[in-house]
Amino acid sequence: MTDIRRRVEEDRGLLKRIQSYIPGFRGYRFREDLRDADRMLRGQLADKLAKQRKELEECRSFLAQHQSFEILDAIGGLINQFKKLEGLVSYAETGYSGLVSDITIHEEELNTLYEYDLRMLELQSSISSDIDDLKRDTMNVEMKKVERMITDIKSKAADFEDQFRSRLRVVEGTEV
């Protein structure tokens, strides 16, 4: 994955480049670009969570069709966990908010946010791999493995949420 901050900087239009030379406006422009990069990254995280949730719903449908009712509650809880994460990531504060915001994020704090984002991306990649395995084992009706995998995915999703909440505390300035 390319560095989104670099991509935003490369995608600057002619007007943005001109603005970067105006005294007092350059820092603002740079922080707005960081904010855009932050928003784009969170959008990607939310889209990936939605895709993963849909794959889990496919597994749930298969389990229901094959009357594996003992696992439906567990996978239903996992699907709800993903819905909650999607909302959390989609509607959270974006990094630096401009000139009149109550919350100001400095560049160093944004770099800390990106470290959290990287950890969340790594967790999403791992969860995607686990969901692929879950789909395969669900189709093979290996219910003991399916139960274990659901537990593992729940744990990683909880870790993802912890990372995101820590990220929010940095945004809100309440991280200790």
Side-chain angles (χ1 to χ4, degrees):
M1 173 179 273
T2 59
D3 185 345
I4 293 177
R5 290 175 289 183
R6 183 172 299 142
R7 183 173 165 214
V8 167
E9 190 174 316
E10 290 171 357
D11 287 347
R12 282 186 179 157
L14 185 58
L15 180 59
K16 286 184 177 179
R17 289 183 185 163
I18 291 170
Q19 290 171 340
S20 70
Y21 289 101
I22 298 171
F25 199 82
R26 183 174 182 209
Y28 175 75
R29 175 78 269 146
F30 178 71
R31 287 186 293 270
E32 284 300 311
D33 286 347
L34 289 175
R35 183 178 177 204
D36 288 343
D38 183 49
R39 185 181 11 254
M40 289 169 57
L41 185 58
R42 285 184 316 98
Q44 289 180 7
L45 288 171
D47 290 347
K48 187 82 170 182
L49 286 167
K51 181 179 181 252
Q52 291 170 335
R53 179 185 43 81
K54 288 176 185 166
E55 291 175 339
L56 292 170
E57 289 171 345
E58 290 171 15
C59 289
R60 179 178 60 185
S61 293
F62 184 85
L63 291 169
Q65 289 170 357
H66 289 81
Q67 300 180 352
S68 301
F69 300 118
E70 68 277 1
I71 299 178
L72 287 179
D73 280 347
I75 201 161
L78 186 57
I79 290 167
N80 287 336
Q81 190 175 5
F82 273 77
K83 285 180 184 174
K84 180 177 131 188
L85 286 174
E86 281 177 61
L88 186 65
V89 170
S90 294
Y91 302 110
E93 287 285 334
T94 57
Y96 178 80
S97 305
L99 297 173
V100 292
S101 173
D102 292 338
I103 299 171
T104 302
I105 301 294
H106 300 286
E107 194 173 333
E108 300 82 34
E109 293 165 323
L110 271 175
N111 287 328
T112 301
L113 295 179
Y114 289 126
E115 289 173 17
Y116 283 117
D117 292 340
L118 175 61
R119 176 70 182 137
M120 289 186 294
L121 286 167
E122 290 170 347
L123 282 166
Q124 274 196 324
S125 176
S126 178
I127 289 170
S128 287
S129 176
D130 289 351
I131 289 175
D132 288 343
D133 292 344
L134 178 69
K135 287 167 49 179
R136 183 194 63 236
D137 288 337
T138 299
M139 302 296 172
N140 294 332
V141 196
E142 295 187 39
M143 294 307 129
K144 288 291 179 198
K145 285 176 97 175
V146 168
E147 282 182 273
R148 258 194 326 265
M149 294 172 135
I150 289 172
T151 302
D152 290 346
I153 294 170
K154 276 185 174 182
S155 175
K156 288 179 182 176
D159 191 11
F160 181 95
E161 184 174 350
D162 288 344
Q163 293 293 313
F164 195 78
R165 290 196 183 280
S166 293
R167 181 188 191 280
L168 282 178
R169 286 191 292 273
V170 171
V171 170
E172 294 166 350
T174 59
E175 179 78 10
V176 181

